[in-house]
Amino acid sequence: GNPVGGAYPTGYSTATHEFAHGLHVNIMSDEDKAIITAAFEARKVSALAAPTDANQWVDGREGCYASQNEREFFAQLSNAYLGVNTGTDATTGDPRHNGAAWVLANEPTVHAVLTTWYGGNTVPNANP
């Protein structure tokens, strides 16, 4: 949960992002995976209808990292939920969205999955 420097902005966590991949691919139930897939596919449809809208994805507009596939979508939503999704998207330059409230307002079905897996917790002091 400590902020990192170097290639990543302060307050962005590669550790939680990679942990989310492990959870999604190796541990999560098929039911939870189906919720994530459905949310990704629905977001893709709406994002393609408004590809320049920087509020479409957790990382910005269509073409951002989270829009690449459902695995990156879930990992970036995990980071946002935990409060460690700061900075800008490397592809689009759009600011990333951050915080469980953003996830709840924009991806409520995935928010429910995240709350189950992360127990409603965030990473304290990640963004001092």
Side-chain angles (χ1 to χ4, degrees), residues 50-124:
T52 60
D53 181 355
N55 292 311
Q56 283 292 337
W57 296 93
V58 67
D59 291 338
R61 76 187 86 177
E62 177 62 26
C64 69
Y65 196 55
S67 73
Q68 300 306 305
N69 57 57
E70 65 191 71
R71 292 171 306 284
E72 300 308 342
F73 173 68
F74 178 73
Q76 288 300 95
L77 284 171
S78 288
N79 268 13
Y81 179 90
L82 294 168
V84 294
N85 197 45
T86 61
T88 57
D89 180 73
T91 303
T92 64
D94 293 334
R96 293 184 183 120
H97 299 287
N98 199 29
W102 188 92
V103 179
L104 178 60
N106 293 277
E107 297 292 348
T109 59
V110 178
H111 183 275
V113 171
L114 293 167
T115 299
T116 298
W117 284 100
Y118 298 131
N121 293 309
T122 61
V123 178

Side-chain angles (χ1 to χ4, degrees), residues 14-76:
T14 57
T16 57
H17 176 97
E18 296 307 325
F19 176 82
H21 282 313
L23 176 67
H24 184 196
V25 173
N26 298 307
I27 300 171
M28 194 170 278
S29 70
D30 289 342
E31 185 176 48
D32 284 348
K33 287 179 184 179
I35 291 168
I36 294 161
T37 298
F40 174 78
E41 290 172 355
R43 177 62 54 190
K44 197 71 164 168
V45 168
S46 67
L48 289 173
T52 60
D53 181 355
N55 292 311
Q56 283 292 337
W57 296 93
V58 67
D59 291 338
R61 76 187 86 177
E62 177 62 26
C64 69
Y65 196 55
S67 73
Q68 300 306 305
N69 57 57
E70 65 191 71
R71 292 171 306 284
E72 300 308 342
F73 173 68
F74 178 73
Q76 288 300 95

